[in-house]
Amino acid sequence: MIYTREHFEKLDKQDPLASFRDKFALNPGEIYLDGNSLGARPKKAAQRAKEVLEQEWGKDLIRSWNTHHWFELPYRIGDKIAGLIGANKGEVVCTDATGINLYKAVATALKLKPTRKVVLMEGSNFPTNNYMIQGLVAQLGDDFEVRFAEEHEFADKIDEQVAVVCLTQVHYKSGRLLDMQAITEQAQQKGCLVVWDLCHSAGALPVDLNAANADLAVGCTYKYLNGGPGSQAFIFVAKRHQNKVNQPLSGWWGHSAPFKFERDYQPGEGISQMLTGTQGILSLAVTEVGIDLMCAADMQQVRVKSQALTRYFIELVESHCGDYGFTLVSPRDDERRGSQVAFSHPEGYPIMQALIDAGVVGDFRAPDILRFGFAPLYNSYADIWDAVQRFKDIMQSGRWQEPRFNQRHAVT
């Protein structure tokens, strides 16, 4: 089908999520397609940060742990996130970084399966997940091991030797979406526990952990949940697994009575045991602003718009830039794709740098992936049309070949 900009403008007028766009601080003239790496800043985040800095920290100081309920922030935000990922209150806490939470989650799952020593992971997964679990099993001893498998190998590799299957629901490079319910059921039939990484799915599509009978899960808040750079991650532990074993990073915030200052560790009840040390209150307070925005949205509408944005982008890139050597890496099937689109190209890095210079912000993932993330709360349909027109101009003009675009930065 041949599209015009008017077609996308009409879609924007009909978009039930259109009002959310004005709630974000977006740069004029820029098309931000990197929400899968760092979400845009909610406008109210600046005011919230000012409140915490000037009043809660600046004036109320230590009293704020009680008067402004700082101590409850990880639980309060966790319960809000629970509503976005199909969990119950008391099953999620917002704390630490994703990698640390993954360490805690897999260590907990291994303790729940004491006769098994194998963790199965996807080798092409985001590397830090693999690194963290390799570090964990190295600490546990030579009897433990990490085995890697890709999606087409899961059916054969998930067997009775495996204690924990640890997978990311939406692949960080390709945007491929795994069937959480089917894989969880398959693994549990083999006696395995499953730990899901929701970094690229929480806030981008409906997630229902309890409907899938998930065991544990982790995820970040700085992508589609718009919590800010380095904002705290979250961890989910199903109620049926709570209070059975202790996670190894037993800090004072996870103690049953942290302000008794007892010599020996006594684990807290329920999800509280997944806390470790003192939380980053400034970050948590700002994170809550983004979480509240996402909680106000209809996740089914978010998913419908996400599928449309990514589908239109694929069609437009292939029709306008199809002669320039791009290969679609993401699934073409809407149901198999998260909220991002990846194309491969031998010159992917300089092309992406030229796009960023032209005001279309995506990112590059080695060795050859141009990655574009679509955040339905603030990306419009007209953004898709305008982005591809700039993309086409860069390819037609050859501007990406300029030396400045071929200089590698530390962060790609």
Side-chain angles (χ1 to χ4, degrees):
M1 180 176 177
I2 298 176
Y3 297 108
T4 63
R5 195 179 195 279
E6 288 70 27
H7 172 76
F8 296 98
E9 291 173 346
K10 182 178 179 181
L11 291 175
D12 283 328
K13 291 178 181 177
Q14 300 169 347
D15 178 14
L17 299 173
S19 63
F20 283 93
R21 182 178 173 93
D22 191 50
K23 299 181 187 300
F24 290 88
L26 303 174
N27 295 325
E30 183 175 273
I31 303 167
Y32 189 69
L33 301 180
D34 210 13
N36 58 321
S37 188
L38 175 64
R41 176 175 66 84
K43 289 180 178 178
K44 288 186 177 180
Q47 180 59 37
R48 182 67 184 117
K50 184 178 180 182
E51 291 171 358
V52 178
L53 282 167
E54 295 186 356
Q55 179 64 45
E56 297 181 16
W57 178 18
K59 295 181 179 179
D60 297 339
L61 291 163
I62 198 71
R63 295 181 293 273
S64 289
W65 287 106
N66 292 315
T67 59
H68 295 290
H69 308 288
W70 283 358
F71 197 77
E72 289 78 35
L73 267 176
Y75 302 103
R76 186 172 79 217
I77 299 174
D79 283 344
K80 291 178 179 181
I81 294 171
L84 297 171
I85 59 174
N88 295 320
K89 289 185 175 181
E91 290 186 315
V92 181
V93 71
C94 188
T95 183
D96 295 330
T98 307
I100 294 171
N101 286 339
L102 190 71
Y103 183 101
K104 290 185 283 188
V106 174
T108 298
L110 284 170
K111 284 188 173 184
L112 289 167
K113 290 290 177 181
T115 63
R116 300 189 183 193
K117 311 294 184 183
V118 176
V119 180
L120 184 75
M121 306 185 73
E122 193 171 14
S124 63
N125 188 28
F126 189 67
T128 197
N129 289 22
N130 299 339
Y131 304 161
M132 290 299 293
I133 305 311
Q134 286 171 333
L136 170 62
V137 300
Q139 287 182 314
L140 293 174
D142 293 340
D143 291 342
F144 291 83
E145 65 173 300
V146 177
R147 294 179 186 171
F148 293 112
E150 297 305 318
E151 183 182 4
H152 66 279
E153 301 173 301
F154 291 167
D156 293 330
K157 294 292 182 71
I158 297 176
D159 58 29
E160 288 80 0
Q161 289 186 318
V162 175
V164 184
V165 177
C166 181
L167 300 172
T168 302
Q169 188 183 19
V170 174
H171 196 278
Y172 85 104
K173 272 191 183 180
S174 70
R176 177 228 57 216
L177 173 64
L178 292 176
D179 187 332
M180 176 184 288
Q181 186 156 355
I183 292 173
T184 299
E185 181 178 358
Q186 175 195 351
Q188 290 173 345
Q189 286 177 349
K190 299 289 186 179
C192 313
L193 294 177
V194 186
V195 176
W196 286 100
D197 180 337
L198 307 179
C199 282
H200 289 272
S201 46
L205 51 89
V207 178
D208 201 336
L209 291 172
N210 283 332
N213 200 40
D215 297 300
L216 301 99
V218 301
C220 67
T221 62
Y222 52 79
K223 301 182 192 299
Y224 296 104
L225 296 179
N226 307 299
S231 58
Q232 277 91 329
F234 61 86
I235 183 167
F236 158 87
V237 182
K239 283 280 180 71
R240 66 184 182 277
H241 295 312
Q242 293 179 9
N243 304 318
K244 291 185 176 179
V245 298
N246 297 338
Q247 62 95 353
L249 302 182
S250 47
W252 78 298
W253 271 51
H255 192 280
S256 60
F259 287 93
K260 284 188 176 181
F261 302 108
E262 297 173 339
R263 187 195 69 177
D264 298 321
Y265 182 73
Q266 295 293 329
E269 287 291 312
I271 197 64
S272 69
Q273 197 231 119
M274 288 297 159
L275 293 169
T276 300
T278 306
Q279 302 301 298
I281 299 302
L282 281 169
S283 179
L284 278 173
V286 172
T287 297
E288 191 170 21
V289 177
I291 302 298
D292 285 342
L293 273 178
M294 187 55 65
C295 288
D298 183 316
M299 286 308 302
Q300 294 299 329
Q301 292 177 351
V302 169
R303 179 58 172 159
V304 168
K305 184 177 178 183
S306 164
Q307 290 176 316
L309 290 171
T310 52
R311 181 173 64 251
Y312 281 126
F313 187 75
I314 291 169
E315 292 179 23
L316 288 173
V317 170
E318 291 185 334
S319 62
H320 289 261
C321 304
D323 295 332
Y324 295 101
F326 294 97
T327 300
L328 179 66
V329 176
S330 300
R332 196 173 295 276
D333 181 355
D334 287 354
E335 299 302 318
R336 291 272 294 145
R337 188 176 61 246
S339 200
Q340 66 190 58
V341 174
F343 285 96
S344 65
H345 191 284
E347 302 296 337
Y349 181 80
I351 293 171
M352 180 54 73
Q353 297 309 303
L355 277 167
I356 294 171
D357 184 69
V360 179
V361 180
D363 61 25
F364 172 79
R365 290 294 177 261
D368 59 0
I369 300 294
L370 296 96
R371 198 175 65 151
F372 304 88
F374 298 85
L377 293 195
Y378 56 80
N379 286 136
S380 70
Y381 288 96
D383 282 344
I384 307 309
W385 173 267
D386 293 343
V388 175
Q389 300 317 302
R390 298 183 197 182
F391 200 166
K392 178 181 178 181
D393 177 67
I394 285 167
M395 299 312 298
Q396 285 182 334
S397 66
R399 193 159 65 250
W400 60 269
Q401 299 177 70
E402 294 179 21
R404 62 190 176 119
F405 297 136
N406 285 267
Q407 295 176 358
R408 295 275 174 148
H409 299 293
V411 178
T412 62

